[in-house]
Amino acid sequence: MEIGYKLAAEAFGPTELVRQAVLAEEAGFDFVEISDHYHPWLDDQGHSPFAWTVLGAIAAKTSRIGLATGVTCPTVRYHPAIIAQAAATLALVSEGRFVLGVGSGERLNEHVVGQEFPDSVRVRHEMFREALEIIRLLWRGGYRSYEGTHLRLEDARVFDLPEELPLIAVAASGEVSARIAAELGDGLFATEDKAEIVRHYRDAGGGGPRYAEVPMAWASDEHTAARAALDTSRWAVTGWKVMSELPNPVNFDAATTTVREEDILEKFACGTDPARYLEVAQKFVDAGFDRLVMQNAGPDPDGFIDFYQRSLDGPMRQLAPQAAQN
Protein backbone atom coordinates (compact mmCIF):
# COMPACT_ATOMS: atom_id res chain seq x y z
CA MET A 1 0.00 0.00 0.00
CA GLU A 2 1.29 3.44 -0.96
CA ILE A 3 -0.25 6.67 0.30
CA GLY A 4 -0.37 9.91 -1.67
CA TYR A 5 -1.37 13.49 -0.94
CA LYS A 6 -3.63 15.37 -3.35
CA LEU A 7 -2.46 18.84 -4.29
CA ALA A 8 -5.72 20.71 -4.83
CA ALA A 9 -4.69 22.97 -7.69
CA GLU A 10 -8.19 24.44 -7.88
CA ALA A 11 -8.00 25.66 -4.28
CA PHE A 12 -4.42 26.95 -3.92
CA GLY A 13 -1.90 29.01 -5.88
CA PRO A 14 1.34 27.56 -7.23
CA THR A 15 3.74 28.56 -4.46
CA GLU A 16 1.38 27.22 -1.81
CA LEU A 17 1.11 23.91 -3.67
CA VAL A 18 4.89 23.60 -3.72
CA ARG A 19 5.00 24.34 0.01
CA GLN A 20 2.40 21.64 0.69
CA ALA A 21 4.36 19.12 -1.39
CA VAL A 22 7.47 19.76 0.71
CA LEU A 23 5.40 19.25 3.89
CA ALA A 24 3.95 16.04 2.44
CA GLU A 25 7.44 14.69 1.85
CA GLU A 26 8.46 15.54 5.41
CA ALA A 27 5.30 13.85 6.73
CA GLY A 28 6.13 10.58 4.99
CA PHE A 29 3.72 10.51 2.07
CA ASP A 30 4.90 8.33 -0.81
CA PHE A 31 3.78 10.66 -3.59
CA VAL A 32 1.85 13.82 -4.40
CA GLU A 33 -0.73 14.00 -7.14
CA ILE A 34 -1.92 17.20 -8.80
CA SER A 35 -4.94 17.83 -11.00
CA ASP A 36 -4.23 19.32 -14.43
CA HIS A 37 -7.04 21.83 -14.98
CA TYR A 38 -7.48 25.09 -16.84
CA HIS A 39 -10.49 26.10 -14.70
CA PRO A 40 -11.40 25.28 -11.09
CA TRP A 41 -14.61 23.34 -10.54
CA LEU A 42 -16.15 26.36 -8.77
CA ASP A 43 -15.27 30.05 -8.93
CA ASP A 44 -15.14 30.07 -5.12
CA GLN A 45 -12.07 27.83 -5.28
CA GLY A 46 -10.28 30.63 -7.06
CA HIS A 47 -7.18 28.93 -8.52
CA SER A 48 -5.91 26.76 -11.34
CA PRO A 49 -2.16 27.17 -11.99
CA PHE A 50 -0.28 25.29 -14.72
CA ALA A 51 0.31 21.86 -13.21
CA TRP A 52 3.51 21.09 -15.13
CA THR A 53 5.30 24.20 -13.87
CA VAL A 54 4.26 23.38 -10.30
CA LEU A 55 5.52 19.80 -10.66
CA GLY A 56 8.87 21.02 -11.95
CA ALA A 57 9.24 23.30 -8.95
CA ILE A 58 8.29 20.46 -6.61
CA ALA A 59 10.87 18.20 -8.23
CA ALA A 60 13.53 20.83 -7.54
CA LYS A 61 12.54 21.29 -3.89
CA THR A 62 12.09 17.65 -2.90
CA SER A 63 14.30 14.59 -3.07
CA ARG A 64 12.25 11.49 -2.33
CA ILE A 65 8.52 11.93 -2.85
CA GLY A 66 6.90 10.71 -6.06
CA LEU A 67 5.05 13.07 -8.42
CA ALA A 68 1.95 12.37 -10.49
CA THR A 69 -0.62 14.11 -12.64
CA GLY A 70 -4.14 13.25 -11.63
CA VAL A 71 -5.01 13.48 -14.46
CA THR A 72 -3.89 15.03 -17.76
CA CYS A 73 -5.99 14.86 -20.92
CA PRO A 74 -3.65 14.44 -23.94
CA THR A 75 -6.17 14.99 -26.76
CA VAL A 76 -7.56 18.54 -27.12
CA ARG A 77 -5.96 21.20 -24.90
CA TYR A 78 -2.67 19.36 -25.30
CA HIS A 79 -1.47 17.36 -28.27
CA PRO A 80 -0.05 14.01 -27.10
CA ALA A 81 3.35 14.92 -28.57
CA ILE A 82 3.55 17.76 -26.03
CA ILE A 83 2.63 15.45 -23.16
CA ALA A 84 5.17 12.86 -24.32
CA GLN A 85 7.86 15.55 -24.19
CA ALA A 86 6.65 17.08 -20.90
CA ALA A 87 6.44 13.74 -19.10
CA ALA A 88 9.87 12.64 -20.32
CA THR A 89 11.40 15.93 -19.16
CA LEU A 90 9.72 15.74 -15.75
CA ALA A 91 10.92 12.16 -15.34
CA LEU A 92 14.47 13.36 -15.94
CA VAL A 93 14.43 16.39 -13.63
CA SER A 94 12.74 14.36 -10.87
CA GLU A 95 15.23 11.51 -11.33
CA GLY A 96 12.57 8.92 -12.08
CA ARG A 97 9.93 9.99 -9.56
CA PHE A 98 7.15 10.87 -12.02
CA VAL A 99 3.95 8.96 -12.89
CA LEU A 100 1.91 10.21 -15.85
CA GLY A 101 -1.77 10.02 -14.95
CA VAL A 102 -3.95 10.47 -18.02
CA GLY A 103 -7.66 10.48 -18.84
CA SER A 104 -10.11 11.26 -21.61
CA GLY A 105 -10.83 14.69 -20.13
CA GLU A 106 -13.60 17.01 -19.03
CA ARG A 107 -15.32 19.68 -21.08
CA LEU A 108 -14.50 22.12 -18.25
CA ASN A 109 -10.85 22.21 -19.31
CA GLU A 110 -10.73 21.10 -22.92
CA HIS A 111 -13.21 23.47 -24.58
CA VAL A 112 -11.10 26.53 -23.75
CA VAL A 113 -8.84 26.22 -26.82
CA GLY A 114 -11.79 26.59 -29.18
CA GLN A 115 -11.60 23.09 -30.60
CA GLU A 116 -14.55 20.76 -30.33
CA PHE A 117 -14.62 18.53 -27.26
CA PRO A 118 -16.64 15.61 -28.62
CA ASP A 119 -20.14 14.99 -27.29
CA SER A 120 -19.72 11.29 -28.04
CA VAL A 121 -17.94 9.30 -25.33
CA ARG A 122 -17.04 6.77 -28.02
CA VAL A 123 -15.14 9.42 -29.97
CA ARG A 124 -13.38 10.61 -26.80
CA HIS A 125 -12.21 7.06 -26.18
CA GLU A 126 -11.02 6.73 -29.78
CA MET A 127 -9.04 9.96 -29.45
CA PHE A 128 -7.65 8.85 -26.10
CA ARG A 129 -6.44 5.55 -27.55
CA GLU A 130 -4.70 7.37 -30.38
CA ALA A 131 -3.09 9.80 -27.94
CA LEU A 132 -1.65 6.96 -25.86
CA GLU A 133 -0.38 5.24 -29.00
CA ILE A 134 1.39 8.47 -30.02
CA ILE A 135 2.99 8.89 -26.58
CA ARG A 136 4.22 5.29 -26.62
CA LEU A 137 5.50 5.71 -30.17
CA LEU A 138 7.50 8.83 -29.33
CA TRP A 139 8.95 7.18 -26.24
CA ARG A 140 10.51 4.55 -28.49
CA GLY A 141 12.91 7.23 -29.73
CA GLY A 142 13.72 8.48 -33.19
CA TYR A 143 11.60 10.48 -35.60
CA ARG A 144 8.02 9.29 -35.68
CA SER A 145 4.86 9.94 -37.66
CA TYR A 146 1.31 8.78 -36.98
CA GLU A 147 -1.89 8.99 -38.99
CA GLY A 148 -4.99 8.34 -36.91
CA THR A 149 -8.67 8.98 -37.41
CA HIS A 150 -8.55 11.94 -35.03
CA LEU A 151 -4.90 12.73 -34.28
CA ARG A 152 -1.76 13.07 -36.36
CA LEU A 153 1.94 13.30 -35.80
CA GLU A 154 4.53 14.43 -38.35
CA ASP A 155 8.27 13.78 -38.10
CA ALA A 156 8.44 14.34 -34.34
CA ARG A 157 11.14 13.21 -31.95
CA VAL A 158 11.51 13.55 -28.19
CA PHE A 159 15.25 14.04 -27.83
CA ASP A 160 15.53 13.82 -24.02
CA LEU A 161 14.20 10.45 -22.90
CA PRO A 162 14.88 8.86 -19.50
CA GLU A 163 16.37 5.40 -19.37
CA GLU A 164 13.30 4.27 -17.42
CA LEU A 165 10.10 5.68 -18.91
CA PRO A 166 7.36 7.03 -16.64
CA LEU A 167 4.58 4.70 -15.63
CA ILE A 168 1.29 5.65 -17.29
CA ALA A 169 -1.78 5.39 -15.02
CA VAL A 170 -5.00 5.58 -17.03
CA ALA A 171 -8.18 6.99 -15.51
CA ALA A 172 -11.24 4.77 -15.80
CA SER A 173 -14.88 4.99 -14.79
CA GLY A 174 -16.32 2.02 -16.69
CA GLU A 175 -15.55 -1.05 -18.77
CA VAL A 176 -14.27 0.67 -21.92
CA SER A 177 -11.85 3.01 -20.17
CA ALA A 178 -10.69 0.19 -17.86
CA ARG A 179 -9.86 -1.85 -20.96
CA ILE A 180 -7.86 1.07 -22.36
CA ALA A 181 -5.97 1.21 -19.06
CA ALA A 182 -5.13 -2.48 -19.33
CA GLU A 183 -4.14 -2.39 -22.98
CA LEU A 184 -2.26 0.92 -23.25
CA GLY A 185 -1.38 1.89 -19.68
CA ASP A 186 0.78 0.58 -16.87
CA GLY A 187 -1.72 1.23 -14.09
CA LEU A 188 -5.26 2.31 -13.25
CA PHE A 189 -6.58 5.59 -11.84
CA ALA A 190 -10.11 6.16 -10.46
CA THR A 191 -12.11 8.50 -8.26
CA GLU A 192 -14.88 6.11 -7.23
CA ASP A 193 -14.83 3.10 -4.88
CA LYS A 194 -16.34 0.78 -7.48
CA ALA A 195 -15.00 -2.79 -7.51
CA GLU A 196 -16.25 -3.28 -11.06
CA ILE A 197 -13.69 -0.77 -12.36
CA VAL A 198 -10.85 -2.85 -10.98
CA ARG A 199 -12.56 -6.06 -12.13
CA HIS A 200 -12.85 -4.78 -15.71
CA TYR A 201 -9.21 -3.72 -15.59
CA ARG A 202 -8.04 -7.11 -14.41
CA ASP A 203 -10.32 -9.00 -16.80
CA ALA A 204 -8.68 -7.08 -19.67
CA GLY A 205 -5.23 -8.16 -18.48
CA GLY A 206 -4.30 -5.18 -16.30
CA GLY A 207 -1.90 -5.97 -13.49
CA GLY A 208 -0.37 -2.62 -12.54
CA PRO A 209 -0.83 -0.34 -9.55
CA ARG A 210 -4.34 0.97 -8.94
CA TYR A 211 -4.68 4.61 -7.80
CA ALA A 212 -7.79 6.08 -6.17
CA GLU A 213 -8.65 9.41 -4.53
CA VAL A 214 -10.20 9.14 -1.07
CA PRO A 215 -12.52 12.07 -0.15
CA MET A 216 -11.67 13.73 3.17
CA ALA A 217 -12.13 17.05 4.94
CA TRP A 218 -10.11 17.75 8.08
CA ALA A 219 -11.02 20.45 10.57
CA SER A 220 -11.21 20.67 14.35
CA ASP A 221 -14.87 19.62 14.27
CA GLU A 222 -17.04 17.65 11.87
CA HIS A 223 -19.42 20.48 10.99
CA THR A 224 -16.61 22.91 10.06
CA ALA A 225 -14.99 20.24 7.92
CA ALA A 226 -18.22 19.30 6.16
CA ARG A 227 -19.11 22.95 5.59
CA ALA A 228 -15.73 23.60 3.95
CA ALA A 229 -16.16 20.59 1.68
CA LEU A 230 -19.67 21.72 0.79
CA ASP A 231 -18.45 25.19 -0.11
CA THR A 232 -15.54 24.12 -2.31
CA SER A 233 -15.94 20.46 -3.25
CA ARG A 234 -19.66 19.70 -3.55
CA TRP A 235 -19.08 18.92 -7.24
CA ALA A 236 -17.46 15.67 -6.06
CA VAL A 237 -20.82 14.09 -5.24
CA THR A 238 -22.25 14.62 -8.74
CA GLY A 239 -20.56 11.62 -10.36
CA TRP A 240 -18.38 11.35 -13.42
CA LYS A 241 -21.14 11.73 -16.00
CA VAL A 242 -21.83 15.24 -14.71
CA MET A 243 -18.21 16.13 -13.99
CA SER A 244 -17.08 15.36 -17.53
CA GLU A 245 -19.77 17.35 -19.34
CA LEU A 246 -20.22 20.84 -17.84
CA PRO A 247 -18.16 23.61 -19.49
CA ASN A 248 -17.57 26.23 -16.78
CA PRO A 249 -17.49 26.73 -12.99
CA VAL A 250 -20.81 28.59 -13.10
CA ASN A 251 -22.43 25.44 -14.48
CA PHE A 252 -21.06 23.35 -11.62
CA ASP A 253 -22.34 25.95 -9.19
CA ALA A 254 -25.82 25.67 -10.67
CA ALA A 255 -25.71 21.88 -10.83
CA THR A 256 -24.82 21.52 -7.14
CA THR A 257 -27.29 23.89 -5.47
CA THR A 258 -29.20 20.96 -3.96
CA VAL A 259 -26.16 19.26 -2.41
CA ARG A 260 -26.54 19.21 1.38
CA GLU A 261 -24.12 18.90 4.26
CA GLU A 262 -25.58 15.43 4.86
CA ASP A 263 -24.50 14.42 1.35
CA ILE A 264 -20.95 15.51 2.13
CA LEU A 265 -20.89 13.60 5.42
CA GLU A 266 -22.06 10.46 3.64
CA LYS A 267 -19.23 10.57 1.09
CA PHE A 268 -16.37 12.34 2.92
CA ALA A 269 -14.48 11.54 6.09
CA CYS A 270 -14.92 14.77 8.07
CA GLY A 271 -13.55 16.02 11.37
CA THR A 272 -10.92 14.44 13.61
CA ASP A 273 -11.98 10.82 14.17
CA PRO A 274 -9.33 8.53 12.60
CA ALA A 275 -11.83 5.64 12.51
CA ARG A 276 -14.03 7.51 10.04
CA TYR A 277 -11.06 8.19 7.73
CA LEU A 278 -10.10 4.52 7.81
CA GLU A 279 -13.73 3.54 7.17
CA VAL A 280 -13.92 5.63 4.01
CA ALA A 281 -10.50 4.45 2.82
CA GLN A 282 -11.45 0.81 3.47
CA LYS A 283 -14.13 1.04 0.76
CA PHE A 284 -11.44 1.78 -1.82
CA VAL A 285 -9.19 -0.99 -0.52
CA ASP A 286 -12.08 -3.46 -0.68
CA ALA A 287 -12.70 -2.34 -4.27
CA GLY A 288 -9.15 -3.37 -5.15
CA PHE A 289 -7.12 -0.14 -5.04
CA ASP A 290 -3.58 -0.18 -3.62
CA ARG A 291 -2.47 3.45 -4.10
CA LEU A 292 -4.65 5.70 -1.93
CA VAL A 293 -4.59 9.47 -2.44
CA MET A 294 -5.65 11.55 0.57
CA GLN A 295 -7.88 14.25 -0.96
CA ASN A 296 -8.43 16.81 1.79
CA ALA A 297 -11.17 19.37 1.16
CA GLY A 298 -10.88 20.89 4.61
CA PRO A 299 -9.79 24.48 5.28
CA ASP A 300 -6.41 23.73 6.93
CA PRO A 301 -3.89 21.72 4.87
CA ASP A 302 -1.20 21.98 7.56
CA GLY A 303 -3.59 20.66 10.18
CA PHE A 304 -4.56 17.77 7.92
CA ILE A 305 -0.95 16.82 7.17
CA ASP A 306 -0.14 16.88 10.89
CA PHE A 307 -3.26 14.79 11.64
CA TYR A 308 -2.30 12.29 8.96
CA GLN A 309 1.25 11.93 10.26
CA ARG A 310 0.13 11.50 13.90
CA SER A 311 -3.03 9.42 13.50
CA LEU A 312 -3.39 7.86 10.06
CA ASP A 313 -0.07 6.94 8.47
CA GLY A 314 0.46 3.59 10.18
CA PRO A 315 -3.18 2.41 10.28
CA MET A 316 -3.80 3.51 6.67
CA ARG A 317 -0.86 1.45 5.43
CA GLN A 318 -2.16 -1.62 7.28
CA LEU A 319 -5.51 -1.64 5.48
CA ALA A 320 -6.22 -4.82 3.52
CA PRO A 321 -9.31 -6.09 1.70
CA GLN A 322 -11.85 -7.27 4.23
CA ALA A 323 -12.34 -10.57 2.42
CA ALA A 324 -8.63 -11.29 2.87
CA GLN A 325 -8.89 -10.65 6.61
CA ASN A 326 -11.77 -13.09 7.20
Coordinates of all heavy atoms in Angstrom, one line a residue, residues 74-76 78-85 127 130-132 134-135 138 151-153:
P74 N -4.6 14.2 -22.8 CA -3.6 14.4 -23.9 C -4.3 14.5 -25.3 O -3.7 14.0 -26.3 CB -2.7 13.2 -23.8 CG -3.6 12.1 -23.4 CD -4.7 12.7 -22.5
T75 N -5.5 15.1 -25.5 CA -6.2 15.0 -26.8 C -6.6 16.3 -27.4 O -6.6 16.5 -28.6 CB -7.4 14.1 -26.7 OG1 -8.3 14.6 -25.7 CG2 -7.1 12.7 -26.3
V76 N -7.0 17.3 -26.6 CA -7.6 18.5 -27.1 C -6.7 19.7 -26.7 O -6.1 20.4 -27.5 CB -9.0 18.7 -26.7 CG1 -9.6 20.0 -27.3 CG2 -9.9 17.6 -27.2
Y78 N -4.0 19.7 -25.0 CA -2.7 19.4 -25.3 C -2.7 18.3 -26.4 O -3.5 17.5 -26.5 CB -2.0 18.7 -24.1 CG -1.9 19.4 -22.8 CD1 -2.5 18.8 -21.7 CD2 -1.3 20.6 -22.7 CE1 -2.4 19.4 -20.4 CE2 -1.2 21.2 -21.4 CZ -1.7 20.6 -20.3 OH -1.6 21.2 -19.1
H79 N -1.7 18.5 -27.3 CA -1.5 17.4 -28.3 C -0.6 16.3 -27.5 O 0.2 16.7 -26.7 CB -0.7 17.9 -29.5 CG -0.6 16.9 -30.6 ND1 0.3 15.9 -30.6 CD2 -1.3 16.7 -31.7 CE1 0.2 15.1 -31.7 NE2 -0.8 15.6 -32.4
P80 N -0.8 15.0 -27.8 CA -0.1 14.0 -27.1 C 1.5 14.1 -27.3 O 2.2 13.7 -26.4 CB -0.6 12.7 -27.7 CG -1.3 13.1 -28.9 CD -1.9 14.4 -28.7
A81 N 1.9 14.7 -28.4 CA 3.3 14.9 -28.6 C 3.9 15.8 -27.5 O 5.0 15.7 -27.0 CB 3.6 15.5 -30.0
I82 N 3.1 16.8 -27.1 CA 3.6 17.8 -26.0 C 3.6 17.0 -24.7 O 4.6 17.2 -23.9 CB 2.6 19.0 -26.0 CG1 2.5 19.7 -27.3 CG2 3.0 19.9 -24.9 CD1 3.8 20.1 -27.8
I83 N 2.6 16.2 -24.4 CA 2.6 15.5 -23.2 C 3.8 14.4 -23.1 O 4.4 14.2 -22.1 CB 1.3 14.8 -22.9 CG1 0.2 15.8 -22.8 CG2 1.3 13.9 -21.7 CD1 0.4 16.9 -21.7
A84 N 4.0 13.8 -24.3 CA 5.2 12.9 -24.3 C 6.5 13.6 -24.0 O 7.3 13.0 -23.2 CB 5.3 12.2 -25.7
Q85 N 6.7 14.8 -24.5 CA 7.9 15.6 -24.2 C 7.9 16.0 -22.7 O 8.9 15.9 -22.0 CB 7.9 16.7 -25.1 CG 9.2 17.6 -25.0 CD 9.1 18.9 -25.8 OE1 8.0 19.5 -25.9 NE2 10.2 19.3 -26.4
M127 N -10.1 9.0 -29.5 CA -9.0 10.0 -29.4 C -8.0 9.6 -28.4 O -6.8 9.8 -28.6 CB -9.6 11.3 -29.2 CG -10.5 11.9 -30.3 SD -11.3 13.5 -29.9 CE -9.8 14.5 -29.8
E130 N -5.7 6.9 -29.4 CA -4.7 7.4 -30.4 C -3.6 8.2 -29.7 O -2.4 8.1 -30.0 CB -5.4 8.2 -31.5 CG -6.2 7.4 -32.4 CD -6.9 8.2 -33.5 OE1 -6.5 9.4 -33.7 OE2 -7.7 7.6 -34.3
A131 N -4.1 9.0 -28.7 CA -3.1 9.8 -27.9 C -2.1 8.9 -27.2 O -0.9 9.2 -27.2 CB -3.8 10.7 -26.9
L132 N -2.6 7.9 -26.6 CA -1.7 7.0 -25.9 C -0.7 6.2 -26.8 O 0.5 6.0 -26.5 CB -2.5 6.0 -25.0 CG -3.2 6.6 -23.8 CD1 -4.1 5.5 -23.2 CD2 -2.3 7.2 -22.8
I134 N 0.4 7.5 -29.6 CA 1.4 8.5 -30.0 C 2.4 8.6 -28.9 O 3.7 8.7 -29.2 CB 0.7 9.8 -30.3 CG1 -0.1 9.7 -31.7 CG2 1.7 11.0 -30.4 CD1 -1.0 10.9 -32.0
I135 N 2.0 8.7 -27.7 CA 3.0 8.9 -26.6 C 3.9 7.7 -26.5 O 5.2 7.9 -26.5 CB 2.3 9.1 -25.2 CG1 1.5 10.4 -25.2 CG2 3.2 9.0 -24.1 CD1 0.6 10.6 -24.0
L138 N 6.4 7.9 -29.5 CA 7.5 8.8 -29.3 C 8.5 8.4 -28.3 O 9.7 8.7 -28.4 CB 6.9 10.2 -28.9 CG 6.2 11.0 -30.1 CD1 5.4 12.1 -29.5 CD2 7.3 11.5 -31.1
L151 N -6.2 12.1 -34.6 CA -4.9 12.7 -34.3 C -3.8 12.3 -35.2 O -3.8 11.2 -35.8 CB -4.5 12.3 -32.8 CG -5.5 12.7 -31.7 CD1 -5.0 12.1 -30.4 CD2 -5.6 14.2 -31.6
R152 N -2.9 13.3 -35.4 CA -1.8 13.1 -36.4 C -0.5 13.5 -35.7 O -0.4 14.4 -34.9 CB -2.0 13.8 -37.7 CG -3.2 13.3 -38.5 CD -3.6 14.2 -39.6 NE -4.6 13.6 -40.4 CZ -5.9 13.7 -40.1 NH1 -6.3 14.2 -38.9 NH2 -6.9 13.1 -40.8
L153 N 0.6 13.0 -36.2 CA 1.9 13.3 -35.8 C 2.8 13.3 -37.0 O 2.7 12.4 -37.9 CB 2.4 12.3 -34.8 CG 3.8 12.5 -34.2 CD1 3.7 13.6 -33.1 CD2 4.3 11.2 -33.5

